């Protein structure tokens, strides 16, 4: 199951910028999995379809880049990146609550040997 994200041009560019920057901090398998999401985002037009893990990567990228901007004194730009990260995180939470596996607890009656008189 995938979730469609509709992003404005400015948001797409913010996302690509943050992901390219965050990729430099990753190594090994983490980087390879991240690259799958990066390729999807890099090739998107207005819409991209992502799963829950890919949305986590995006949120992490945006927050990481926002922290970098904040440390450089670019507070307003940092806030824009953090707001976009929060929006994507809210979409991810809704997506996983809606499409995630449902746990059903089976209620059983007590069996004969456990019953007391």
């Amino acid at each position: 199951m995938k979730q469609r994200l509709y992003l404005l041009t400015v948001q797409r560019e913010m996302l690509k910028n943050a992901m390219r920057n965050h990729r430099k901090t990753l190594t090994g398998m983490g980087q390879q999995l991240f690259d799958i999401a990066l390729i999807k985002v890099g090739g998107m037009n207005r819409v991209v379809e992502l799963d829950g893990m890919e949305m986590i990567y995006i949120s992490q990228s945006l927050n990481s880049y926002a922290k970098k901007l904040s440390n450089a004194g670019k507070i307003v730009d940092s806030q824009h990146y953090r707001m976009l990260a929060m929006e994507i995180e809210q979409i991810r939470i809704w997506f996983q609550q809606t499409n995630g596996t449902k746990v059903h607890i089976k209620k059983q009656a007590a069996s004969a040997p456990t019953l007391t008189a």
Side-chain angles (χ1 to χ4, degrees), residues 8-63:
L8 301 172
T9 305
V10 173
Q11 293 171 324
R12 284 193 310 264
E13 293 307 312
M14 286 171 63
L15 189 52
K16 290 176 187 178
N17 190 26
M19 290 184 78
R20 282 191 299 264
N21 189 277
H22 185 65
R23 184 184 184 278
K24 297 173 189 173
T25 66
L26 301 174
T27 59
M29 185 56 81
Q31 188 180 53
Q32 291 175 356
L33 293 171
F34 183 85
D35 286 345
I36 295 169
L38 181 60
I39 290 168
K40 284 184 182 181
V41 169
M44 72 183 281
N45 291 322
R46 291 188 58 125
V47 180
V48 65
E49 288 188 359
L50 302 168
D51 63 20
M53 191 66 206
E54 292 165 340
M55 285 188 270
I56 288 172
Y57 287 141
I58 287 172
S59 295
Q60 288 175 343
S61 299
L62 289 165
N63 281 319

